């Protein structure tokens, strides 16, 4: 929901930095893979209750997630890069709740499981919509130039970052934050499913 507003403000700076990295010969795929390493390291730090370190690593992960796209736009966008970007984003989004569940299974396992269920439904609706949209030749730049069709929702990248940052800073409130995040994510999924019901209707 906030991604459009945020992108208009940060994209110019991210694009300039991406152009500089591209000029230095750094590839988008290398940045994507480096981001994966930082994100998984952040999850590991959450398990060990090193929250400030986790926050820094997660922030760097999100920065690289923006930079890989900027580098690709400055050089050449590839299907492999787009595939990696989506899959590794989902990997980190799943790793953070899992890390909290491993940190304190008694208190955090159930809310983490509920949140991961919501992510699963939302991710399925997102990717299924993109697949059918591609089959029908649909395109959209509502969230910038992407490798697949992006549908806007209540819970997008910016909201995910804000919730994860809040969880890392306030681990004692993880359960409440996870349930709230799960509810909003399910609302986003249901809205996308409703959109698909109408957009993909085959007339008799």
């Amino acid at each position: 929901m906030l991604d459009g507003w945020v992108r208009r403000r940060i994209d110019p700076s991210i694009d300039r930095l991406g152009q500089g990295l591209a000029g230095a010969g750094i590839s988008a795929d290398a940045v994507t893979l480096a981001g994966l390493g930082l994100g998984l390291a952040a999850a590991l730090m959450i398990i060990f209750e090193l929250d400030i370190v986790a926050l820094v690593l997660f922030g760097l992960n999100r920065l690289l997630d923006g930079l890989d796209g900027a580098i690709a736009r400055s050089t050449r966008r590839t299907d492999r890069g787009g595939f990696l970007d989506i899959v590794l984003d989902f990997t980190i989004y799943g790793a953070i709740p899992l890390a909290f569940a491993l940190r304190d299974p008694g208190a955090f396992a159930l809310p983490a499981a509920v949140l991961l269920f919501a992510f699963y439904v939302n991710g399925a609706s997102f990717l299924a919509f993109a697949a059918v949209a591609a089959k029908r030749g649909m395109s959209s730049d509502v969230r910038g130039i992407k490798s697949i069709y992006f549908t806007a929702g209540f819970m997008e990248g910016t909201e995910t970052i804000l919730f994860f940052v809040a969880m890392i800073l306030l681990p004692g409130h993880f359960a409440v934050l996870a349930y709230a995040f799960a509810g909003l994510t399910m609302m986003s999924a249901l809205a996308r499913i409703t959109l698909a019901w109408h957009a993909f209707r085959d007339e008799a």
Side-chain angles (χ1 to χ4, degrees), residues 54-69:
L55 183 63
V56 172
L57 291 171
F58 179 68
L60 291 172
N61 164 263
R62 291 297 84 199
L63 174 61
L64 294 191
D65 181 60
L67 284 173
D68 61 4

Side-chain angles (χ1 to χ4, degrees), residues 35-45 61 91-92 95:
L36 172 67
L38 290 168
L40 293 177
L44 187 63
M45 294 302 102
N61 164 263
T91 300
I92 299 306

Side-chain angles (χ1 to χ4, degrees), residues 92-117:
I92 299 306
Y93 290 168
I96 300 299
L98 175 61
F100 278 101
L102 294 173
R103 171 174 173 154
D104 188 345
F108 296 157
L110 180 58
V114 171
L115 180 56
L116 288 170
F117 170 76

